[in-house]
C-alpha cells in the first residue's frame, strides 16, 4: 500500500472505555474516561425511560434463537448503551462504508482527483459477483469513478464496487491499516467479496464488534477523520441507501432521518445480518449512532430483518428517545 493514513486522521471524542463487551451496559458521557468495572456495573435498566435493554434483548435472542450485538450512542447527551458490544461479528457488506471512507481520505490527502478518475475492468474480473453487483454490471464497458463506486457500494451494496474500492487502498490489508489509523484496534478485513461473507462462530477474519464499528463510524460521520466536504458526501450516500428499509429504519418512527449501511452473510453463514446507522429525530440536531449485528445459533437458517428492527427500537428506548 503506498499510502499510510496515521499522521492525518483526527480522533473523535468517544473513548474506548465507553464501549465495552458483555451484557447490556450504559455509560454516562462518552467524552469521559470510565473504568471497565464502572461501565459493566451499569445496566439497561438505568435508561432515562426505565426501559431495561438487557432483558429486552435477552428475550429477543431467545425467540430468535440467535445472538444479538448492539450499541447505541446519543451524541447529544453522550449516553451510550450496549449489549454484547465487544463480541465479534462479521462485517459482510458493511465494510463498504469504511472502504469508501478510506478512499475519500486518500483522495483528499495524497491523490487529488482520485474520486473522478475512471476505473476500468474486464468482464472476467466480475466472476462470482454479478448477482450482487447491480450497478457495476451496467458499467462494464465504460468503467466508473471511485465516487460512482462509493455510491453503488453504499446505496445498493454493489459487491464488485466494494472490491474495486478496496483496490484503491491496497486491498483488505489496506482497509485494516485505515482502521488502525483511526484508532480502531479491533476491526479487520482479510478477504474481498464474496469470500468475506464466509463465517462461523469463532471466526476472526473479516470481523468487528458492535462497539468498534459504532465508534469508528461516529468518527467518520461526525468527527474530524474526514474533511467536512467528504463527511457530508459520505452521509449523503448513507441517507440514500436502498438496502436497509426493513432493518434499523423499520424500527424507528417514519419521520426520523436515517442513513445506514447493511451487511448480509446469508443462511449458509449462520444467517448473519447487520446494520449500522446515523439517525436524527425531528427537531434535534444531535444524531444517534445505532450499531446492530445478528447471527443464528444454527447454520443454514435465514436471517431475520425484524430482529434488527426490534433491536433498533430497543436501543432508542434505552437512550430515552422513544
Amino acid at each position: 500500500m503506498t499510502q499510510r493514513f496515521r499522521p492525518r486522521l483526527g480522533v473523535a471524542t468517544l473513548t474506548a472505555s465507553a464501549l465495552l463487551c458483555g451484557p447490556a451496559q450504559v455509560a454516562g458521557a462518552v467524552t469521559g474516561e470510565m473504568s471497565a468495572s464502572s461501565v459493566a456495573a451499569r445496566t439497561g435498566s438505568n435508561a432515562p425511560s426505565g426501559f431495561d435493554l438487557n432483558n429486552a434483548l435477552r428475550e429477543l435472542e431467545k425467540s430468535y434463537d440467535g445472538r444479538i450485538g448492539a450499541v447505541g450512542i446519543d451524541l447529544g447527551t453522550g449516553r451510550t448503551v450496549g449489549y454484547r458490544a465487544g463480541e465479534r461479528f462479521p462485517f459482510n457488506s458493511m465494510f463498504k462504508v469504511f472502504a469508501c471512507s478510506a478512499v475519500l481520505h486518500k483522495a483528499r490527502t495524497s491523490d487529488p482527483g482520485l474520486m473522478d478518475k475512471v476505473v476500468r475492468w474486464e468482464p472476467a474480473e466480475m466472476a462470482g459477483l454479478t448477482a450482487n453487483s447491480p450497478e457495476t454490471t451496467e458499467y462494464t464497458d465504460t468503467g466508473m469513478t471511485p465516487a460512482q463506486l462509493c455510491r453503488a457500494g453504499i446505496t445498493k451494496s454493489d459487491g464488485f464496487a466494494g472490491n474495486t474500492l478496496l483496490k484503491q487502498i491496497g486491498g483488505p490489508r489496506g482497509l485494516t491499516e485505515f482502521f488502525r489509523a483511526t484508532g480502531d484496534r479491533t476491526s479487520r478485513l482479510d478477504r474481498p467479496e464474496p469470500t468475506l461473507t464466509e463465517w462461523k462462530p469463532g471466526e476472526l477474519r473479516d470481523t468487528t464488534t458492535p462497539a468498534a464499528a459504532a465508534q469508528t463510524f461516529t468518527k467518520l460521520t461526525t468527527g474530524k477523520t474526514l474533511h467536512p466536504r467528504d463527511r457530508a458526501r459520505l452521509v449523503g450516500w448513507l441517507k440514500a441507501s436502498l438496502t436497509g428499509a426493513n432493518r434499523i429504519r423499520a424500527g424507528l418512527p417514519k419521520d426520523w432521518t436515517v442513513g445506514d449501511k447493511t451487511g448480509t452473510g446469508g443462511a449458509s453463514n449462520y444467517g448473519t445480518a447487520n446494520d449500522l446507522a446515523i439517525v436524527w429525530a425531528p427537531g434535534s440536531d444531535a444524531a444517534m449512532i445505532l450499531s446492530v449485528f445478528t447471527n443464528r445459533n444454527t447454520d443454514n437458517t435465514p436471517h431475520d430483518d425484524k430482529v434488527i428492527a426490534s433491536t433498533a427500537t430497543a436501543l432508542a428506548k434505552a437512550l430515552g428517545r422513544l
Side-chain angles (χ1 to χ4, degrees):
M1 184 178 178
T2 58
Q3 161 89 13
R4 297 287 179 177
F5 296 97
R6 289 181 178 81
R8 300 187 182 182
L9 293 186
V11 179
T13 57
L14 278 170
T15 62
S17 59
L19 294 168
L20 301 175
C21 61
Q25 57 220 298
V26 179
V30 291
T31 55
E33 292 294 339
M34 302 182 68
S35 68
S37 59
S38 66
V39 174
R42 300 187 179 190
T43 67
S45 59
N46 288 331
S49 62
F51 177 77
D52 194 321
L53 180 65
N54 193 21
N55 285 342
L57 295 188
R58 185 186 298 122
E59 291 303 312
L60 187 57
E61 282 184 325
K62 290 179 181 178
S63 64
Y64 164 63
D65 190 25
R67 182 175 62 127
I68 299 169
V71 164
I73 306 169
D74 188 326
L75 297 177
T77 65
R79 192 174 188 83
T80 300
V81 298
Y83 182 84
R84 300 191 188 277
E87 295 185 16
R88 284 191 175 270
F89 293 80
F91 267 116
N92 295 319
S93 287
M94 186 188 287
F95 86 90
K96 293 163 190 169
V97 67
F98 299 105
C100 177
S101 299
V103 173
L104 283 167
H105 184 267
K106 179 180 178 181
R108 179 67 60 178
T109 60
S110 67
D111 195 348
L114 173 62
M115 298 304 291
D116 298 316
K117 294 179 181 178
V118 176
V119 180
R120 299 182 183 277
W121 58 87
E122 295 297 324
E125 295 179 59
M126 300 188 74
L129 287 170
T130 54
N132 72 326
S133 302
E135 189 157 344
T136 49
T137 52
E138 298 180 5
Y139 286 84
T140 302
D141 293 336
T142 61
M144 299 173 72
T145 66
Q148 291 174 313
L149 292 165
C150 278
R151 183 198 66 223
I154 293 176
T155 65
K156 297 181 180 179
S157 204
D158 189 292
F160 189 71
N163 281 1
T164 307
L165 289 170
L166 285 177
K167 289 181 179 180
Q168 307 307 306
I169 56 170
R173 180 178 178 180
L175 183 55
T176 300
E177 290 185 4
F178 181 72
F179 285 130
R180 300 297 175 264
T182 68
D184 182 344
R185 307 299 301 174
T186 301
S187 303
R188 55 183 285 181
L189 201 74
D190 301 85
R191 299 166 293 180
E193 292 261 32
T195 54
L196 65 83
T197 62
E198 297 173 1
W199 180 87
K200 61 181 182 298
E203 177 69 73
L204 297 179
R205 291 178 299 174
D206 309 300
T207 61
T208 186
T209 66
Q215 187 174 11
T216 303
F217 187 67
T218 301
K219 293 175 182 179
L220 296 173
T221 56
T222 68
K224 297 180 180 179
T225 299
L226 297 181
H227 186 281
R229 293 179 183 173
D230 299 330
R231 189 168 64 240
R233 201 174 193 183
L234 179 69
V235 171
W237 286 320
L238 289 164
K239 289 180 179 178
S241 174
L242 302 174
T243 62
N246 296 323
R247 296 189 183 181
I248 286 176
R249 294 171 189 258
L252 303 174
K254 292 183 179 180
D255 59 347
W256 288 22
T257 300
V258 179
D260 76 305
K261 182 67 196 82
T262 58
T264 307
S268 60
N269 296 298
Y270 287 82
T272 57
N274 48 44
D275 201 7
L276 181 62
I278 181 168
V279 179
W280 293 266
S284 175
D285 293 331
M288 290 183 293
I289 302 296
L290 302 183
S291 172
V292 182
F293 292 76
T294 64
N295 68 265
R296 295 284 196 171
N297 290 330
T298 305
D299 200 10
N300 297 310
T301 309
H303 73 274
D304 190 340
D305 286 343
K306 292 181 180 179
V307 170
I308 296 177
S310 296
T311 301
T313 303
L315 289 173
K317 287 181 178 179
L319 290 171
R321 291 295 197 104
L322 285 178

